[in-house]
Amino acid sequence: MDSKKAKKKAWLFTQSQALFITIKLFALNKLPSYAEACSFGLLFSFLPIFMITLIVMTRILHATPELIEPLLNSILSAVPQMGRFFAPDRFMRMLSSAKIGGLFEIFIFAFAFWMSRRFLVSIFQSFKMIFHTRHERKSVYSQLMMFAVVTIIIFAFTAVVFAYILLRYVTELSVFVSLVQRFPQLDIFNHFISEFFIKYFPNILILIVVTVLYKTVPGTKPHFRSCFFTALFCTVSFWAFRIILHFFLNAKNYNVLYGMMGQVIVLLMDIFFFFTFFLFCAQYLFVRQFFDELLVGELYLLPKREESSFAGRMRRRLFLRPEFLLADQSLSVDLNPGDIVFSHGEMNDEAYYIVEGSVESSKSDGVIKYTEGDFFGEISCTLRKPHDSTAWATSRAKIIKIKGEVFRFLVEQDNDVARKTLSQYSSYFADYYGKTEMNLADYF
């Protein structure tokens, strides 16, 4: 039982650490501004994509207008704001009068891809800000990716809608109707289509599109399972938030004062908050994918016990014991008093973090004591130089080995980590090369 409680506590601490890092990066990357840009791009892109999807259904899949028109009416009943910008009866008349491969279809197809580019540019820029430390794409490849993502979204949307049309067609067959009369339990299909599918169709579509974007746009090859569950969390969170928002902010109460503008403002709020959830979850996806490296960065910048404010003490308490890294047996090391960690002149490619206990390091100018929450050995690691001291445990201790490539990557990408590392270079150069000590942090 104690083991289960310990595992549960470790899991909660790890999730809390991931959430803290996500919120921190979400603010540092200024993602709310990118959510505004994505919202603006969607307003120009959604309608053309929706129209070209209908063309694909009617022309490529040979769906009949008699089946599509009820679907449009059902969608409009679920999302009434679309009725302000889209008239299904007029669109169906235009579509039925157009010739296959005519100028109308060619124009709509080209216009949809061109206008959707604005939306995808915003998405790509947002993901570049989130994953910038891990991914760079050439401009030509990015353009091809944009068109590929639009195509995937269109056909994913078409597949979902076509599944609805197929189910509706099956339930209206005389054979199925007679079966329902004999077995009333089969009427659940009609209930599923008329109630569940139409009511939650926007959420189903959001889940599919967000999963595709999380999988294809970052370029860091996240696992499909992670993308799907992150997209599911994004969709469910936005759905719940939207219900709460509309409960307290009912636009119908203000129609007398604002008329259509009230509906439009609520729609714009929905779009902005969706992209806020979308980018926050994308940031969380990045944190989960590279959690070990980001966690090391937080550990290195952990405030000292004596220097901590209230916020610093809470942060120190949250990150002091990194259960995620301790679970890796190849990184965790238990030490007894007197055990040597490294010797003077020894070459290795590791830095060390003290989880518990204490370690001392002897140098020509004295002895330095390290306790829980401290790093040591990082200077020799980043410079790839021999250690200028000998380090040993002065009590029973547990330390974590940090691989050199991980720490050097943090120095290159995190300004705060680089600044702290540079501030410690001066004593190393003074001791190793015999030069006068200088403050390299101020110099650089």
Side-chain angles (χ1 to χ4, degrees):
M1 189 67 181
D2 292 338
S3 177
K4 289 183 178 180
K5 287 184 178 179
K7 289 182 178 180
K8 184 177 180 180
K9 183 179 179 180
W11 183 85
L12 288 174
F13 261 88
T14 300
Q15 297 304 315
S16 300
Q17 291 166 351
L19 182 61
F20 177 89
I21 297 174
T22 301
I23 296 173
K24 174 185 173 181
L25 295 178
F26 183 82
L28 290 177
N29 291 332
K30 301 179 180 179
L31 293 184
S33 299
Y34 285 90
E36 295 174 3
C38 292
S39 303
F40 182 76
L42 180 66
L43 295 176
F44 281 89
S45 305
F46 176 75
L47 190 58
I49 291 178
F50 183 70
M51 293 173 69
I52 197 172
T53 302
L54 294 179
I55 293 174
V56 171
M57 287 190 298
T58 54
R59 299 308 183 190
I60 298 180
L61 302 179
H62 300 287
T64 61
E66 291 76 13
L67 290 176
I68 294 179
E69 192 166 5
L71 172 64
L72 296 178
N73 293 328
S74 300
I75 294 176
L76 288 177
S77 65
V79 190
Q81 293 89 342
M82 286 184 58
R84 304 288 183 181
F85 313 99
F86 182 77
D89 53 347
R90 184 179 179 184
F91 178 78
M92 294 305 300
R93 287 197 301 269
M94 294 174 62
L95 198 59
S96 60
S97 62
K99 297 179 180 179
I100 297 178
L103 290 177
F104 173 77
E105 290 180 337
I106 296 174
F107 173 77
I108 292 297
F109 189 85
F111 178 75
F113 270 89
W114 178 255
M115 294 306 294
S116 63
R117 179 182 176 277
R118 183 179 185 87
F119 168 59
L120 287 177
V121 165
S122 301
I123 295 290
F124 270 65
Q125 288 177 344
S126 303
F127 276 64
K128 185 177 181 180
M129 179 58 65
I130 294 171
F131 295 87
H132 67 97
T133 57
R134 278 293 184 177
H135 179 58
E136 288 290 341
R137 277 198 178 113
K138 295 182 179 179
S139 57
V140 175
Y141 184 72
S142 296
Q143 296 294 331
L144 293 176
M145 277 295 300
M146 289 183 192
F147 288 117
V149 170
V150 173
T151 303
I152 292 172
I153 291 174
I154 289 173
F155 279 98
F157 181 58
T158 302
V160 174
V161 174
F162 186 67
Y164 166 82
I165 293 174
L166 183 61
L167 288 173
R168 174 63 71 183
Y169 178 76
V170 170
T171 56
E172 292 178 353
L173 291 175
S174 57
V175 176
F176 186 83
V177 173
S178 61
L179 286 174
V180 170
Q181 292 175 351
R182 293 182 58 184
F183 305 99
Q185 298 85 350
L186 294 177
D187 194 47
I188 190 175
F189 286 99
N190 282 323
H191 176 76
F192 171 80
I193 295 171
S194 59
E195 298 293 334
F196 180 83
F197 193 91
I198 292 299
K199 183 178 181 180
Y200 296 103
F201 175 79
N203 296 321
I204 296 172
L205 181 60
I206 288 174
L207 176 61
I208 294 173
V209 172
V210 171
T211 302
V212 171
L213 291 174
Y214 283 167
K215 179 62 180 176
T216 58
V217 177
T220 56
K221 298 180 180 180
H223 295 296
F224 177 81
R225 182 179 178 182
S226 299
C227 296
F228 175 78
F229 282 106
T230 305
L232 181 62
F233 176 79
C234 173
T235 304
V236 173
S237 300
F238 173 69
W239 172 75
F241 176 83
R242 188 172 180 270
I243 291 177
I244 297 173
L245 178 66
H246 284 245
F247 177 78
F248 290 101
L249 188 64
N250 191 345
K252 293 180 180 179
N253 298 332
Y254 306 98
N255 281 344
V256 177
L257 293 176
Y258 301 107
M260 185 185 72
M261 289 302 298
Q263 297 285 345
V264 173
I265 291 173
V266 172
L267 176 62
L268 293 176
M269 290 178 62
D270 285 340
I271 295 174
F272 170 74
F273 283 115
F274 164 73
F275 279 108
T276 301
F277 278 95
F278 170 73
L279 294 181
F280 182 85
C281 291
Q283 185 69 78
Y284 179 78
L285 181 65
F286 169 77
V287 169
R288 293 304 305 172
Q289 189 175 4
F290 304 106
F291 182 63
D292 51 348
E293 297 170 357
L294 296 170
L295 181 57
V296 170
E298 291 296 326
L299 295 177
Y300 189 62
L301 299 174
L302 208 60
K304 299 291 185 182
R305 186 194 302 272
E306 61 276 6
E307 301 174 357
S308 297
S309 61
F310 175 76
R313 289 195 300 271
M314 296 301 295
R315 181 180 170 191
R316 182 179 174 86
R317 184 174 182 180
L318 178 62
F319 286 98
L320 186 62
R321 189 175 180 86
E323 299 291 348
F324 182 82
L325 298 178
L326 288 172
D328 190 343
Q329 299 297 325
S330 65
L331 300 179
S332 178
V333 179
D334 292 315
L335 299 175
N336 293 316
D339 286 351
I340 301 296
V341 181
F342 55 77
S343 301
H344 183 278
E346 181 182 341
M347 284 283 296
N348 63 20
D349 196 26
E350 295 169 343
Y352 304 92
Y353 171 77
I354 303 177
V355 179
E356 56 188 46
S358 60
V359 173
E360 288 187 354
S361 174
S362 65
K363 301 178 66 174
S364 58
D365 56 349
V367 176
I368 302 175
K369 184 175 182 179
Y370 302 98
T371 59
E372 60 179 13
D374 289 339
F375 262 79
F376 64 97
E378 70 273 20
I379 303 302
S380 300
C381 172
T382 53
L383 295 176
R384 301 183 184 184
K385 295 290 185 179
H387 288 286
D388 63 338
S389 63
T390 298
W392 68 92
T394 57
S395 66
R396 292 182 63 85
K398 182 183 289 290
I399 65 174
I400 294 177
K401 296 185 293 185
I402 309 299
K403 295 180 180 179
E405 59 183 16
V406 173
F407 196 85
R408 286 189 290 272
F409 173 80
L410 287 171
V411 173
E412 293 173 1
Q413 301 298 334
D414 192 315
N415 292 333
D416 293 331
V417 173
R419 192 176 297 110
K420 181 177 179 180
T421 306
L422 284 172
S423 68
Q424 300 184 48
Y425 278 177
S426 55
S427 60
Y428 177 88
F429 284 126
D431 196 42
Y432 187 77
Y433 292 105
K435 295 183 179 179
T436 304
E437 186 170 335
M438 58 184 294
N439 193 332
L440 289 179
D442 293 339
Y443 178 79
F444 284 99

